[in-house]
Amino acid sequence: MNIIETHNLNYGNVDRLLFKDINLEIEKGSYVSIIGNNGVGKSTLIKLLSGLIISDNNIKIDNVQINKFNVEEVSRKTSLITSYNEFYSKTVISEILQDKKSVSAFEINKVKKLLDKFNLLYLENLSPQSLSYAENQIVSLIKTIMKEPKVIFLDNAFAKLDFDKRMELFNYIKDYAKKNEITIISTTNNVEDLVLSDRILFIKNKKISFDGTYEELINNEDLNIKLPWEIEVSDKLIMYDLIKNRINNIDDMIGELCK
Amino acid sequence: MQIEKYYNKNKIIGVTGNSGAGKSTFINNFEKNRNIGIINIDVIKKNIVEDQIEYYVRKYKYRLDELDDRKEEIIKMLDIDKSILNKSVYDISESELSKVLIASILLCNPETIVFDEMLDAFDSNNKTKILKLFIKLKKFFKKTIFVVTSNIDDIYEFIDEAIIVDNGDVLLYGNKFDVFLNYDILEKKNIRIPNIVTFIRKIRSNNINIDNVDSINELIKTLYREIR
C-alpha cells in the first residue's frame, strides 16, 4: 500500500522551478532516503510531502489529498524532526506530550522511560528552549514517538552528532518503525547514513535521477556522489592493481594488501 | 585552561570530541577578544540576507568606506547566489544560510576564525570548498582557524593540529598526527578516530611501514610505493 503519492509534482519559487513532473509512490513501512546537492530542494520536498507547504499539487498522504482544509488533520499522521526544532512549551515533558489530545499517567510514564533510555531524565522539568543540539534532537525524537505518526520525516536530523550517536538514533528509529509499520522519509548529506535505507532517491535537475537500493547506488557509475571512505579507497586500490575487488571494511582491505 | 596558547597560531585547528563533550563551551572561552570571529547558528541577527551580511561590519564600523567592494569579493569567494540577497534568512536553504553567516563574519576580517559546527549542513563538494577556503585564509591572509565538529573524518585532511575535548576539558592537543596516535585513550573514551588513521595503524602493525598521510590520494601513493 502506498502511504504517500505524488502525481506530476511541479513546484518552485519566484526565481526557479525545483521539481518538474515528479511522480512518487512511497510504500507503507519503507525507509526512504533523499539525497542531492545543497539547494536542490530536499527540505522543500519534505515540506511538501508533510503538508508544511500546501500547493496546487496532488499529494496524497494515507490516500487523502492534502489541501488547506484538511492539512491539520493530515498532519496528525506525520511528524518531522529537523536540525533546529523549535519548542514553545514550558517544560520538556509538556513539549513532548504537546501533540497528544489526552494525557494519562501511562503516557507520562512512557515519556519518562524514553527520557531515561537516552539518559535525559534530568531534562524532564527544564525549559525546552535552552537545550543543547543533541538534547534538542533527542527530545524531538521522543516527541515523535509519543505522537505515534504513520510517517516520520527526518530533515538532516542528527547531522551534527558524532557517527556512533547518529547511527544509534537512526537504528532506534528504524527498529521502532519496523515494529509499528511506520514509514520513514529522511534527507541527509552523509552517504554513510544511507546504508540503513530500503530505498534511495537522488534529486538532480528537478527530477529524481536515481531511485534504487544502497547497493545499486554505490555501484552506479553515472552518479557523481561521494562514496563511503572504504569504497573510495577500494576503488583507487583497484585502479592501481593493488587489490582485485571492492572491499567495504578496513580489516579485510589490509588482509588483501598483505597477501 | 591557558587559552592564550591557542591564539595566533596561523594554523587550522580541528576541535573535536563526542557530542555534548563541551566543544562549543571550550570555544566560549575565546569570546572576549574582539579579533576573533565565531561563526555559528546564533550569529543570525537580521531577517534579510544582505542586512545579515553587513550586520557585524556595521556594528564594529570596520572599513565601511570599502564595504561594497569587499562584500562583492566575499560573496564571490563563497559562491553565494546573488538572487538570495533580498530574501529572508529563513527562506533560504541551510547551506546558503551557513554561507551567509560566514560572509557576515569574514567581512570584519578577524585574525582568528572559529567555525562552530556548521559543516554538517553542506554536501561533500561544498564541505571541501569551504575547507579549501580556510586553507587560503590561513596561507594568504595569515589567519588562525578553529573548526569545531563531531565528525573528524570531514576535516582531518585539512587541519594542522587537533584539540580533543572531553567532559569540558582539553584531553589532547597537538599536531594532528601525534594526537591521533593516542588511540588507546581515544578508544577508551569512545572518541572517533579518522578512518585513515585507523588504516595506517593497522597496516603498520602488519609490518608495512607507510608514511603519515592525511588524504586518500597520498595513502594510495604511499601504499603503492611500499607494496610494489
Side-chain angles (χ1 to χ4, degrees), chain B residues 144-162:
Chain B
T144 299
I145 299 165
F146 292 85
V147 184
V148 182
T149 183
S150 295
N151 293 301
I152 186 69
D153 275 283
D154 290 339
I155 65 170
Y156 185 73
E157 183 186 334
F158 300 92
I159 59 177
D160 304 304
E161 297 181 343

Side-chain angles (χ1 to χ4, degrees), chain A residues 15 37-38 83-84 156 159-163 166 189 226 229 232 236-237 240-241 250-251 254 258, chain B residues 18-19 87 94-95 117 120-124 126 150-151 195-196 199 202-203 206 216-217 220 228:
Chain A
D15 331 289
N37 291 336
N38 284 138
S83 0
Y84 306 107
N156 252 339
K160 294 193 216 267
L161 297 179
D162 59 78
F163 179 76
R166 208 165 65 233
N189 286 314
K226 182 163 165 71
W229 191 85
E232 196 182 329
K236 295 207 161 123
L237 291 174
Y240 282 84
D241 239 348
I250 291 176
D251 290 323
I254 292 178
C258 291
Chain B
N18 290 332
S19 314
K87 290 194 178 172
E94 205 179 339
S95 60
E117 305 235 49
D120 307 287
F122 293 119
D123 58 45
S124 34
N126 275 324
S150 295
N151 293 301
N195 285 314
I196 199 166
F199 186 98
K202 289 187 173 185
I203 206 161
N206 275 287
I216 293 181
N217 286 334
I220 306 296
R228 291 243 140 182

Side-chain angles (χ1 to χ4, degrees), chain B residues 51-84:
Chain B
D51 295 340
Q52 170 65 37
I53 292 178
E54 294 183 6
Y55 176 79
Y56 291 100
V57 78
R58 287 191 184 283
K59 180 177 177 183
Y60 297 116
K61 298 192 174 45
Y62 179 71
R63 287 169 65 190
L64 287 172
D65 48 325
E66 298 168 36
L67 179 57
D68 285 335
D69 287 336
R70 292 190 305 115
K71 209 171 65 173
E72 190 65 39
E73 202 188 314
I74 286 182
I75 285 173
K76 206 170 139 196
M77 191 163 65
L78 290 167
D79 201 14
I80 292 176
D81 188 349
K82 283 196 170 169
S83 71
I84 69 167

Side-chain angles (χ1 to χ4, degrees), chain B residues 27-225:
Chain B
I27 289 303
N28 283 331
N29 286 309
F30 284 25
E31 290 238 32
K32 288 102 187 178
N33 185 327
R34 249 187 59 184
N35 237 326
I36 296 184
I38 299 184
I39 306 171
N40 59 33
I41 198 64
D42 299 325
V43 139
I44 298 182
K45 296 288 182 192
K46 285 286 186 179
N47 200 338
I48 302 296
V49 167
E50 192 154 25
D51 295 340
Q52 170 65 37
I53 292 178
E54 294 183 6
Y55 176 79
Y56 291 100
V57 78
R58 287 191 184 283
K59 180 177 177 183
Y60 297 116
K61 298 192 174 45
Y62 179 71
R63 287 169 65 190
L64 287 172
D65 48 325
E66 298 168 36
L67 179 57
D68 285 335
D69 287 336
R70 292 190 305 115
K71 209 171 65 173
E72 190 65 39
E73 202 188 314
I74 286 182
I75 285 173
K76 206 170 139 196
M77 191 163 65
L78 290 167
D79 201 14
I80 292 176
D81 188 349
K82 283 196 170 169
S83 71
I84 69 167
L85 289 176
N86 292 316
K87 290 194 178 172
S88 160
V89 296
Y90 302 106
D91 285 341
I92 58 180
S93 72
E94 205 179 339
S95 60
E96 283 173 318
L97 175 58
S98 297
K99 289 186 191 179
V100 165
L101 299 181
I102 297 173
S104 63
I105 298 296
L106 282 189
L107 212 42
C108 297
N109 202 22
E111 256 167 48
T112 302
I113 296 167
V114 178
F115 195 58
D116 191 0
E117 305 235 49
M118 300 221 72
L119 268 182
D120 307 287
F122 293 119
D123 58 45
S124 34
N125 274 332
N126 275 324
K127 264 185 202 144
T128 305
K129 279 190 191 163
I130 296 284
L131 290 163
K132 285 185 176 174
L133 172 64
F134 289 162
I135 291 183
K136 267 200 193 146
L137 293 174
K138 175 188 85 166
K139 281 193 181 158
F140 302 122
F141 299 98
K142 303 299 178 203
K143 299 196 185 301
T144 299
I145 299 165
F146 292 85
V147 184
V148 182
T149 183
S150 295
N151 293 301
I152 186 69
D153 275 283
D154 290 339
I155 65 170
Y156 185 73
E157 183 186 334
F158 300 92
I159 59 177
D160 304 304
E161 297 181 343
I163 296 174
I164 311 286
V165 179
D166 181 57
N167 242 330
D169 281 323
V170 173
L171 180 68
L172 294 165
Y173 166 56
N175 169 285
K176 71 180 174 193
F177 297 116
D178 297 333
V179 163
F180 285 100
L181 272 178
N182 295 286
Y183 73 88
D184 40 2
I185 300 176
L186 294 168
E187 270 175 16
K188 193 153 78 167
K189 296 274 183 180
N190 241 323
I191 291 173
R192 184 146 178 92
I193 297 172
N195 285 314
I196 199 166
V197 172
T198 301
F199 186 98
I200 292 172
R201 173 174 66 82
K202 289 187 173 185
I203 206 161
R204 280 176 181 167
S205 71
N206 275 287
N207 287 322
I208 297 180
N209 279 321
I210 61 171
D211 306 323
N212 273 335
V213 289
D214 57 9
S215 73
I216 293 181
N217 286 334
E218 291 301 312
L219 177 65
I220 306 296
K221 281 189 205 163
T222 182
L223 279 171
Y224 189 81
R225 281 197 298 266

